[in-house]
Every structure is written in structure tokens, then in C-alpha cells.
Amino acid sequence: MQKILRKMLPAPLLTALLLSWPGAGRAQSISMAPALDKALNEQVIMLPVGSGFSSYTLETTIFRPPGDGPFPLLLMNHGKTPDIDPHQQPRARYLAIAREFVARGYAVIIPMRKGFAQSTGTYIGAGCNIAANGVAQADDLQSALDYAVKQAWIDPARIIVAGQSHGGLATMAFGIRHYPGVRGLIDFAGGLRVTSNNCEWQPALVNAFAQYARKTAVPSLWFYGANDSYFGPELASRMAAAYTQAGGRARLIAYGPFKSDSHAMSGSESGVAIWWPETEIFLHALGMPTARIVKLAGAAIPPPSHFASLSAIDALPYVKDTGREGYKTFLAKGAPRAFAISSSGAWGYSTADNGEDTAALALARCQQYSKRPCGLYAVDDQVVWVKE
């Protein structure tokens, strides 16, 4: 059968099918999209950009409060997973952030930039010229906003632009465009690490932020944690100093350690307690709404069950040796992460760090292999499984 498939299918599709073949033992490798969040009115559109040979489309997620608006807007921008084809990244959702803003009456739009996920085209870097890279990425932010401000349900005079990691760099680069209606920028561990071609990437990153500051008028709020594996405290301080000394308006929130890696803080429900209080102050100063006006159900994450210690691999019920090996791999990953199991013996996990709903992805990957229901066994650093 595999020989027949090799003749019929291109290599990428063949690989995906073989990994999902019964008995392959690789449930964690399947990229299965989670269900849309009805409470947040989630939808996904393919946003056309450009025309002719230069045209492409951006896979874009939209969350909306109930009603017709017009709503203030948060444009949220995703990071870049290292060492993989950007097209292999899942669609970013940043559900923890989306919930907080939708609850306060905001629409949230998250475009996957050119070459990422299901967006067409090819990701184009700029080598060690990190400043140029950010400016190029900002093109897609502008395309998303150009679409948004034409919608009757968007208030074009009340816009916040935010981003995480590579999306944070793109956000700060976008500040130089003086886009009408944009009142502030939020940077969650923004930056870009370029380790190829002997690039002195840290000075290049500091220089990029200084360049942006010289042409940016709107204020910004920055979050960098003490155990960020990409941009540590010393580098974050240098970036902030360069930005403010060049005339930029920035407030750096240098918070302490967050789980195993603060770089992923913004994608975690637990991170809300860190970023929202400061963001509320920031938004209030900008004349943006901060009061909850929409009642939403909380994230469907069970509390710790104390069924077993997180590292007790032998305590994992139902699964066979392949599942235990998968759980070992899961334990070696950083948060956010989730592991799901079923009484059928199926299992799956997700360790996404770009704002995806890790719990939903883990359950979906497990369910693909099971006719019986899957449940969460562990989320981040806690076992949540309750013995049936």
C-alpha cells in the first residue's frame, strides 16, 4: 500500500498520511485543527492581498463579541517556530488573549502572515537585517488592517496592535507607519533570533528597535520574562533602552520566571494574571475600553486532580509503550502543553507556543485515533486526569 501511495501522492501529503496510519504510534505528529470557538464567534477567512502575479492570501482568524458593533479592534500577530517550514505552523489563535479582549467588547483579528500556516506565498527573511525583516512583516499587518477598517463592525478610530515573538517585532516595526486609528502597541517578548550565517543577531535586534523608535509616535507596552529562552532580561533591557533613547515611548514590564519558559507566557491562561493588569492601565490611558461587558465561559481546563505526579510515567492509564514514550517526549517540552488519553489506548499531545489552544489540539489528535472519548491527562505542569 505504501508503494502505491508513493506513486500517487506528493511527498509532503504522503508523509502526513503515513504518520496517521493506524499503528504508526505518532498521534502527536498529526496537525488536526480544533473546532471553532462558538462562544467567541470564531471564524477563519482567506484574506486576499495584492493582485496579479504578486497576489496571495492570508489565513486570518476573527473573534467577535455578539452584536453588530462597531467594535474596537485588537490586531494580534503571531511568532515564528524555529527550524520548521513556516507553512507547518498551525493557525495561531491566542485564545487567552482573545477571551480577555472579546469580554471587553473588542473584535480580535489574527492574520497568519505570508508563507505561514495556510497563507499562500513564501516566507521571506532578510538575513541578519532584522530591522528590514520586521518592516517586511509589517506589510501583512497593514493588509489585515486595511481589510478590518472597511468592515461596518469595526471602529477604525480605536485600534490596538499587539504581537508575540516575531509578531512582536512586526508590531513594533508597524509603528513607523502612523496608521490612522492605531492608539498603542503591545509587545509580548518581541524579537527575532537569527543564528545562521554567523549573524551577530543581538546587536542587530537592538538596532532594529532603535530604528523603529525614531519614526514611531504611539506608545508601547512591553512584556519580557526572567526565563525567556529567546530574549533574556539583559537583552530586553538593552532593547528597551535603545528604543527610549531613540525617542520611542515604551514601558518595559520585566516580570519574573513563568513556568519553564516565559517566552510562551502570552499563550497561556496562567499568563493573563501577569499581562492584563498592566494592559488595563495602558488601555485606560489611551481611552480604550477596559470593563467587561460580555459574559464568556472560562477556558475548559480542569483543575489539578493530584491523580499522580507529573513525572510518574508508569501511572499513565490505558496507553501502551508507544504512549509512554510519547509522554516522555511531552515531559521534555515546555509549556504551554497538553496530553490527552482515551480508554481505547489512544493518546495525543500538543506543545504549541504560538497561541494555539494546546488542550483542544491534544484532544483532537487523540480523538483521531479513538472511537471512545478522549480526556486531558496533563496540562502544562499539572496532572488533571480524574480516575473514572
Side-chain angles (χ1 to χ4, degrees):
M1 177 61 74
Q2 292 186 16
K3 292 181 179 179
I4 295 174
L5 288 171
R6 285 192 179 94
K7 294 180 180 179
M8 296 174 58
L9 300 171
L13 181 56
L14 173 64
T15 300
L17 286 176
L18 292 179
L19 286 176
S20 62
W21 205 261
R26 293 290 299 277
Q28 71 277 16
S29 297
I30 306 305
S31 179
M32 185 174 181
L36 298 180
D37 193 317
K38 294 181 180 179
L40 296 175
N41 298 312
E42 181 180 10
Q43 67 177 124
V44 182
I45 65 171
M46 297 303 294
L47 179 63
V49 177
S51 61
F53 290 110
S54 62
S55 65
Y56 55 99
T57 58
L58 302 179
E59 183 184 25
T60 302
T61 302
I62 299 173
F63 300 102
R64 289 176 57 177
D68 298 327
F71 308 114
L73 172 66
L74 172 72
L75 181 76
M76 181 67 195
N77 300 289
H78 64 85
K80 182 178 185 295
T81 303
D83 303 324
I84 68 167
D85 181 343
H87 276 303
Q88 299 302 312
Q89 283 192 205
R91 174 175 62 90
R93 300 171 80 201
Y94 292 97
L95 283 177
I97 291 174
R99 288 189 186 101
E100 294 302 315
F101 276 87
V102 170
R104 291 163 172 87
Y106 289 73
V108 178
I109 294 180
I110 309 173
M112 299 302 296
R113 299 187 300 279
K114 183 179 180 181
F116 286 91
Q118 298 302 309
S119 295
T120 59
T122 303
Y123 170 77
I124 300 175
C128 201
N129 191 339
I130 294 177
N133 183 299
V135 170
Q137 298 298 309
D139 287 342
D140 289 339
L141 278 61
Q142 177 153 345
S143 296
L145 277 183
D146 287 345
Y147 158 81
V149 299
K150 294 175 183 177
Q151 309 309 306
W153 44 274
I154 290 294
D155 182 348
R158 295 189 295 170
I159 300 170
I160 298 294
V161 179
Q164 186 260 346
S165 194
H166 195 201
L169 177 75
T171 293
M172 300 309 295
F174 184 76
I176 71 175
R177 302 192 177 207
H178 306 284
Y179 196 95
V182 173
R183 299 192 184 188
L185 312 173
I186 303 176
D187 170 13
F188 294 105
L192 180 63
R193 184 173 61 185
V194 181
T195 57
S196 59
N197 300 322
N198 298 315
C199 174
E200 295 292 335
W201 67 271
Q202 293 194 17
L205 181 59
V206 172
N207 179 63
F209 275 78
Q211 287 189 40
Y212 303 153
R214 297 186 187 104
K215 300 179 180 180
T216 301
V218 296
S220 57
L221 180 66
W222 301 16
F223 294 93
Y224 289 83
N227 61 333
D228 191 308
S229 63
Y230 285 74
F231 316 116
E234 189 272 337
L235 178 57
S237 295
R238 286 168 53 198
M239 291 157 58
Y243 191 84
T244 55
Q245 289 170 10
R249 299 162 61 192
R251 183 176 179 221
L252 171 63
I253 307 301
Y255 60 94
F258 180 80
K259 298 188 176 182
S260 60
D261 188 348
S262 57
H263 195 68
M265 181 275 291
S266 61
S268 171
E269 288 288 340
S270 302
V272 174
I274 294 174
W275 65 262
W276 174 252
E278 297 293 346
T279 299
E280 182 177 27
I281 296 170
F282 181 67
L283 294 175
H284 181 75
L286 297 175
M288 298 292 287
T290 59
R292 285 182 177 272
I293 59 173
V294 179
K295 186 176 181 180
L296 297 173
I301 303 297
S305 65
H306 309 293
F307 172 79
S309 68
L310 184 71
S311 59
I313 297 172
D314 291 338
L316 201 66
Y318 305 137
V319 303
K320 297 181 179 180
D321 289 344
T322 53
R324 298 187 193 284
E325 288 301 315
Y327 189 66
K328 286 181 183 178
T329 304
F330 163 82
L331 290 176
K333 304 292 185 178
R337 58 186 179 179
F339 195 97
I341 59 173
S342 169
S343 60
S344 67
W347 56 278
Y349 73 77
S350 174
T351 58
D353 66 356
N354 284 320
E356 299 82 8
D357 186 343
T358 50
L361 283 172
L363 288 167
R365 290 168 180 173
C366 173
Q367 203 64 63
Q368 189 177 18
Y369 287 85
S370 179
K371 293 182 179 180
R372 301 178 189 174
C374 290
L376 293 171
Y377 179 79
V379 177
D380 292 342
D381 299 324
Q382 301 286 347
V383 171
V384 299
W385 178 261
V386 176
K387 186 177 181 180
E388 297 176 337

